Amino acid sequence: MRIEAGAGGSVRDAREKIVVSDGAGHGDPAPKTGDHAVEATRPAAILEAVTLAAERFLSSPAWEAQLAATLQGLGRAAAVGRVYVFDNEMADGDVVATRPVAEWVAPGVSSQLENPALRRVPYRPALDRWLTTLSAGTAIHGHVRDFPATERELLEPQDIVSIAMVPIFAGAEWWGLLGFDECFAEREWTQAEIGALKTAAGIIGAAIERDRREAVLRETEERYRRLVELSPDAIAVHRGGVITFANSRAVRMLRARTVDDLIGRSLLEFVHADSRPRMLQRLQRLREGREVAPIEEQFVRMDGTVIDAEVTAAPFTVDGESAAQVVIRDISDRKATEHSLRVHSEYLEALHETTLNLINRLDPQDLLAAIVGRAGALLGTRDGYIYVVDFSGELEVRVGTGRFTEHVGFRMQRGEGLAGRVLDTDAPFAIEDYDEWEGRSPNFPLGIMHAGAAVPLTSEDRVIGVLGLSYEEPGRTFTDEDLAVLSRFAELASIALDNARLFTASQQEITERRRAEERLRFSAHLLDSVENAVIATDAENRITYWNAFAATLYGWQAEDALGRKFREVLPISDPSAAEVIDGVRHGGAWEGDIEVRRRDGSRLIVFARVSAIRSADGTGRPSGLIGVTVDVTERRRAEDALREAFEREKEVSRRLLALDEMKNTFLEAVSHELRTPLAAILGFAITLERPDVSVSDERGKELLDRLAANARKLDRLLSDLLDLDRLSRGIVEPRRRAVDVGELTRQVISGSEALRGRSVEVDAEPVIAWVDGAKVERIVENLAANAIRHTPDGTPVWVRVRRSDGGVLIVVEDAGVGVPPDLQAAIFEPFRQGPQTRAHSPGVGVGLSLVLKFAELHGGRAWVEDREGGGASFRVWLPSVDPGDEAAPVAGESPAPV
């Protein structure tokens, strides 16, 4: 505002000539107080300014950007000196203070935006009336002279004569206030003006609330986007069947390169042809806004592979158009697991029935035919056969089913056809097209089978026949899982063939019949090769058979379980026992899940199939029970367990062979190394002991020197072995002190008895390092002795000591033949000898192992590499660590110096 006073006019007259300025000295005279015509137009002017403010806020993405222009328009429309916005400060959910946000002032009116007294104005206790009134939605207006003293203390220093404040609400929250100051003349605020000011405050509050809601919406959208991207399932959105959005999991599941490969494509492109009719019906329901139930379908990836998927879809509306969100979960693994469980369950049933047949000694020919038939049914074919190796070594079809029925008696040579190959390799084998296979038998007719699979039948580690199946339909093949199932049936067929031989032998003499029947019954020990627990009991419920897998599963060894009551070994509940007895009472079989307790007290649920064993005396009375049980959890992972067990067995065998080789090497080397000095010591001692031998002083001293040298050699050997044992058990700690490693190395080389007579060149610079000097001596001595032991006389040997990476590097090199690359890591193992060990000084094989252990004890490392120019370069790096330094390196974490 600007004050104009006429000549001779008073200040009061000047106050009545107030002009609203636009900041450049221009403006219209403000109406005098009491000018009713002008005062009547102010609410309309304020509302017009409010309308402009609303347009600004609606067109702007942020309300703060339009606040200054809004306050300017409101100040000019209300004809006041100052307009401002204050927001509230919250603490523990309550409004406690207010602070300035923005301000507009007319010319001639001082700005209060930077006033230190207004940076934070507490409501209590001085402005408690403001807190109560404004929070209730009521305006505060009037002359400052009429306000309470505590309020005047805040307002009068700002030259405020009259004031009007209206609350700003953002939604339901009291956000702050909008204030209007008259600084030159008292002013009466009409209800129309106060109503217009409240409207202005409402527009500002609405803009604030809109921005808040948009911020929350953006945050919610971003959170949803992140959740969709992190979802383990594929998520896509489509409109009318056309994909408009897909997350990264969908890109990976459908094997697209980027999301752009999916956007714009029809969803039906990725649906298998067999599933499209159902998918079209579901899409129509979604377009109609109706829910659809989850369904399992087959999807086709971009690379052509097919997966099983569980699809869930829900309709929604985007921009007024119907759309649908689809969640796709890959269930191929689950389907495969279900199939594996189904196959395994069928296999268990077949195993149970075949086991009963074995124990009841059915006709071997019928039993083998049943085995082939069950194996074929399990793998979806009726065509199968069993070849048996006859006395001449040829293969003969003994059993045939399906298309092989007419080929019983067909013979082939070893190595001929599919069966001959399995006989030669003693391994399962499968082909995709027998007629096109280069190894097919020229004597076998064409067109009999397409894909084929065969596995060996073994007895006492010898192949006695071949079990095979075939598919006549093109396109069907045998998987690794199929071969595994067929191999298990081959185990049963092998048992049947063995039992057939036993049964035939039992017919030779009637007096041996019972003994033969007993051997046949207990030949079930062959079932130990099947990884299922097989248990048999007699009529008194005492255990008569307990296979090896039962011992593994339940923790009872056979010798502890046999002869004891079943429930003493495997406690089961009374209701479970009664259910089993009732199930088998009338000759039937009982199967189901049952809880048992292992020997260690742990519990597990097993699937069991139990049947009665019929007496062989012709009465048919039950003579006991037989049951096949399998851990339900292990059944789900049966194939993985079999493969892992096989790998573990190979690894154990490899380790046992390695340990046996190491033991032999150690015993040979130690016996040689102990006997040589002991023989020398004993010989010298006997010579000195004999009274009939006269020894000169010089000769006696020589004998004593050699006797002492051999004793020291023996002592070094025993020390090495003891040190290796202590290091392996981790009971040795380095005793660090400041050592000149270069000088120590020169002393070790010059004083070593093992190096006498050999030229060793030492290039050792002074290197002070915190190390265990005694251990470093052993490192240098063992490396030098190793170089001498493994090189011919006269071969140059070099020893170097250098600083390296905060520690010391010790290098011992020779010009020998070097260490082969495949032995450079293993040569540091205990008792491992290099290929160039000299016959007269083989060593024990612990020297380099001690070098590595001593280096790791210091937190360093030891290694060998090829020497430039030929030979071997053995290197040891040791860190220099003050004993008081807590940041000492740990073995295995040291750098690899060059």
Side-chain angles (χ1 to χ4, degrees):
M1 295 181 179
R2 184 173 68 252
I3 302 175
E4 296 180 351
S10 64
V11 174
R12 180 178 181 82
D13 296 331
R15 287 179 181 271
E16 293 177 352
K17 296 179 179 179
I18 300 174
V19 178
V20 178
S21 173
D22 60 4
H26 306 289
D28 299 323
K32 297 179 181 179
T33 303
D35 190 336
H36 298 294
V38 175
E39 289 177 353
T41 63
R42 283 177 184 159
I46 295 173
L47 290 176
E48 184 178 354
V50 169
T51 302
L52 293 175
E55 293 177 355
R56 292 190 188 99
F57 285 132
L58 288 174
S59 62
S60 175
W63 65 271
E64 295 94 337
Q66 300 300 324
L67 187 58
T70 299
L71 295 183
Q72 183 183 45
L74 291 173
R76 289 176 177 176
V80 294
R82 186 184 297 121
V83 184
Y84 44 85
V85 170
F86 276 56
D87 71 345
N88 289 331
E89 177 185 325
M90 308 291 291
D92 298 328
D94 296 325
V95 176
V96 296
T98 186
R99 56 206 174 192
V101 175
E103 176 191 69
W104 172 86
V105 295
V109 178
S110 63
S111 172
Q112 299 296 317
L113 193 61
E114 301 299 329
N115 185 346
L118 300 179
R119 289 179 181 172
R120 182 181 184 278
V121 182
Y123 279 111
R124 287 192 171 96
L127 305 179
D128 188 69
R129 183 175 72 96
W130 291 14
L131 177 64
T132 303
T133 303
L134 293 174
S135 65
T138 305
I140 296 176
H141 60 89
H143 305 313
V144 172
R145 58 181 170 80
D146 297 330
F147 282 24
T150 55
E151 297 177 8
R152 293 200 306 274
E153 291 176 2
L154 175 67
L155 301 176
E156 288 175 348
Q158 304 177 50
D159 299 326
I160 303 174
V161 179
S162 295
I163 189 172
M165 294 179 291
V166 293
I168 299 174
F169 282 85
E173 175 193 351
W174 175 37
W175 182 87
L177 61 90
L178 172 64
F180 298 83
D181 293 346
E182 177 56 69
C183 299
F184 295 109
E186 292 182 344
R187 172 175 177 170
E188 297 294 339
W189 301 89
T190 68
Q191 290 299 319
E193 288 177 325
I194 296 300
L197 297 182
K198 284 187 175 181
T199 301
I203 292 297
I204 296 173
I208 294 171
E209 179 64 12
R210 181 202 66 182
D211 287 4
R212 281 183 174 180
R213 291 182 181 277
E214 289 181 353
V216 171
L217 180 60
R218 287 192 299 272
E219 181 181 353
T220 302
E221 290 176 347
E222 177 62 21
R223 185 181 302 113
Y224 177 75
R225 186 191 65 79
R226 289 198 300 269
L227 288 174
V228 169
E229 285 299 321
L230 294 174
S231 172
D233 297 326
I235 298 178
V237 174
H238 68 86
R239 295 186 186 181
V242 177
I243 298 173
T244 60
F245 168 81
N247 67 349
S248 57
R249 177 59 180 167
V251 174
R252 294 194 301 272
M253 180 181 291
L254 297 177
R255 294 188 177 170
R257 291 172 301 176
T258 65
V259 70
D260 293 335
D261 292 340
L262 303 179
I263 301 300
R265 288 178 176 264
S266 171
L267 186 64
L268 290 176
E269 291 185 37
F270 302 101
V271 178
H272 194 274
D274 296 341
S275 301
R276 287 177 183 172
R278 289 191 301 272
M279 184 62 72
L280 287 171
Q281 294 177 1
R282 291 167 62 84
L283 288 175
Q284 182 59 38
R285 290 179 63 88
L286 291 172
R287 290 192 192 99
E288 297 169 357
R290 294 189 291 172
E291 299 288 337
V292 294
I295 192 172
E296 292 183 4
E297 299 286 2
Q298 285 192 318
F299 274 68
V300 181
R301 294 168 166 156
M302 296 192 71
D303 61 2
T305 58
V306 178
I307 61 171
D308 292 306
E310 184 179 74
V311 184
T312 304
F316 66 99
T317 302
V318 179
D319 298 332
E321 296 183 15
S322 63
Q325 175 178 282
V326 181
V327 180
I328 308 169
R329 176 171 297 172
D330 186 350
I331 59 172
S332 299
D333 290 341
R334 191 185 77 190
K335 286 284 190 180
T337 301
E338 291 174 352
H339 172 72
S340 178
L341 288 173
R342 186 166 56 253
V343 170
H344 195 77
S345 177
E346 294 173 1
Y347 161 69
L348 185 63
E349 181 180 355
L351 170 66
H352 176 77
E353 293 184 2
T354 308
T355 302
L356 287 178
N357 292 339
L358 283 173
I359 293 177
N360 288 312
R361 302 181 304 280
L362 296 180
D363 178 76
Q365 192 75 6
D366 292 340
L367 181 58
L368 291 176
I371 291 174
V372 176
R374 290 307 298 264
L378 197 60
L379 298 183
T381 181
R382 62 186 183 86
D383 303 325
Y385 55 84
I386 289 182
Y387 278 92
V388 175
V389 180
D390 66 9
F391 65 92
S392 66
E394 292 184 351
L395 287 164
E396 179 184 356
V397 177
R398 188 69 56 83
V399 174
T401 61
R403 306 189 75 183
F404 289 95
T405 304
E406 60 187 38
H407 294 282
V408 173
F410 179 81
R411 301 175 66 86
M412 285 197 306
Q413 301 293 324
R414 178 182 291 271
E416 181 184 351
L418 180 58
R421 174 168 183 148
V422 172
L423 179 62
D424 274 353
T425 61
D426 189 15
F429 191 67
I431 56 173
E432 295 183 0
D433 190 340
Y434 185 82
D435 290 347
E436 298 296 329
W437 180 46
E438 67 277 5
R440 75 175 186 85
S441 171
N443 300 318
F444 195 79
L446 296 174
I448 298 299
M449 63 177 175
H450 189 73
V455 296
L457 306 177
T458 59
S459 175
E460 298 178 353
D461 298 328
R462 180 173 58 89
V463 179
I464 60 174
V466 176
L467 168 63
L469 298 175
S470 73
Y471 292 130
E472 61 176 308
E473 309 94 332
R476 297 191 63 184
T477 59
F478 290 92
T479 65
D480 291 341
E481 182 181 358
D482 295 337
L483 283 177
V485 171
L486 192 58
S487 295
R488 294 177 191 151
F489 278 97
E491 295 171 355
L492 300 177
S494 299
I495 296 171
L497 291 173
D498 282 342
N499 283 348
R501 289 198 302 271
L502 292 173
F503 186 75
T504 301
S506 69
Q507 303 303 310
Q508 296 177 0
E509 189 174 341
I510 191 63
T511 58
E512 296 291 327
R513 178 174 180 176
R514 290 190 177 277
R515 190 185 312 167
E517 290 176 347
E518 196 68 20
R519 285 200 306 269
L520 188 60
R521 181 178 290 112
F522 283 100
S523 68
H525 72 272
L526 296 174
L527 289 172
D528 286 346
S529 61
V530 181
E531 291 199 0
N532 293 290
V534 181
I535 305 169
T537 61
D538 60 14
E540 296 179 0
N541 205 28
R542 296 185 182 276
I543 296 174
T544 58
Y545 180 75
W546 183 273
N547 75 340
F549 192 78
T552 301
L553 184 61
Y554 299 115
W556 287 83
Q557 295 303 314
E559 56 269 23
D560 298 327
L562 293 176
R564 301 183 65 169
K565 293 280 190 179
F566 177 85
R567 294 181 66 182
E568 292 178 6
V569 177
L570 295 179
I572 61 175
S573 65
D574 292 337
S576 296
E579 184 178 349
V580 173
I581 295 300
D582 185 67
V584 301
R585 176 171 297 157
H586 301 294
W590 179 90
E591 65 178 28
D593 292 341
I594 189 170
E595 183 178 83
V596 300
R597 190 167 66 242
R598 293 188 178 100
R599 188 171 190 174
D600 60 4
S602 62
R603 296 180 179 273
L604 75 160
I605 303 298
V606 297
F607 176 82
R609 185 174 178 87
V610 183
S611 295
I613 301 174
R614 295 301 169 186
S615 175
D617 57 7
T619 62
R621 292 177 300 180
S623 61
L625 298 177
I626 182 167
V628 179
T629 64
V630 60
D631 188 340
V632 173
T633 304
E634 290 301 321
R635 185 181 67 190
R636 297 176 185 269
R637 300 193 294 257
E639 292 304 320
D640 290 341
L642 285 174
R643 284 192 292 270
E644 291 174 3
F646 181 66
E647 292 299 325
R648 286 196 300 269
E649 185 175 332
K650 290 200 301 185
E651 178 64 17
V652 168
S653 298
R654 186 190 65 78
R655 291 182 179 179
L656 289 175
L657 288 174
L659 288 173
D660 187 63
E661 181 182 354
M662 184 182 296
K663 177 204 68 175
N664 294 336
T665 303
F666 168 71
L667 292 176
E668 180 181 353
V670 168
S671 62
H672 180 277
E673 289 295 300
L674 289 175
R675 285 174 179 168
T676 300
L678 281 175
I681 291 172
L682 183 61
F684 296 146
I686 292 174
T687 300
L688 294 174
E689 183 183 38
R690 291 178 57 182
D692 59 335
V693 176
S694 177
V695 179
S696 65
D697 293 342
E698 181 179 354
R699 176 60 175 165
K701 183 177 182 305
E702 178 186 355
L703 291 176
L704 288 174
D705 288 343
R706 295 176 65 184
L707 191 143
N710 279 280
R712 284 192 294 272
K713 180 177 180 181
L714 189 60
D715 179 66
R716 282 197 303 274
L717 173 60
L718 295 176
S719 296
D720 285 349
L721 293 174
L722 292 174
D723 284 345
L724 183 61
D725 176 65
R726 286 194 293 267
L727 287 167
S728 299
R729 289 186 288 140
I731 60 175
V732 180
E733 295 290 338
R735 298 179 179 178
R736 298 180 183 271
R737 59 185 178 85
V739 176
D740 185 343
V741 179
E743 178 60 27
L744 178 65
T745 299
R746 286 190 291 271
Q747 292 177 6
V748 171
I749 296 301
S750 63
S752 175
E753 293 182 0
L755 306 181
R756 290 180 182 176
R758 291 292 295 270
S759 173
V760 178
E761 181 180 332
V762 180
D763 179 12
E765 65 181 29
V767 179
I768 304 300
W770 286 89
V771 295
D772 188 326
K775 303 297 186 294
V776 175
E777 287 183 11
R778 299 284 293 281
I779 289 173
V780 174
E781 185 175 13
N782 284 348
L783 287 177
N786 178 73
I788 296 301
R789 182 180 296 112
H790 292 277
T791 58
D793 293 337
T795 303
V797 176
W798 300 272
V799 179
R800 297 199 310 274
V801 178
R802 295 287 186 272
R803 296 182 185 277
S804 176
D805 292 334
V808 57
L809 178 65
I810 302 171
V811 181
V812 177
E813 299 181 325
D814 62 68
V817 297
V819 180
D822 57 334
L823 286 180
Q824 289 185 357
I827 200 168
F828 288 94
E829 296 176 0
F831 317 122
R832 181 59 69 99
Q833 295 285 343
Q836 291 83 31
T837 304
R838 293 190 291 175
H840 67 279
S841 180
V844 180
V846 299
L848 291 181
S849 178
L850 283 174
V851 169
L852 176 63
K853 295 290 186 181
F854 286 148
E856 292 175 344
L857 186 67
H858 282 79
R861 62 188 292 259
W863 72 100
V864 61
E865 57 189 47
D866 294 335
R867 172 183 168 272
E868 185 176 354
S873 177
F874 284 84
R875 299 178 173 228
V876 175
W877 178 82
L878 305 174
S880 178
V881 180
D882 191 315
D885 186 359
E886 295 181 355
V890 179
E893 297 182 358
S894 57
V898 179

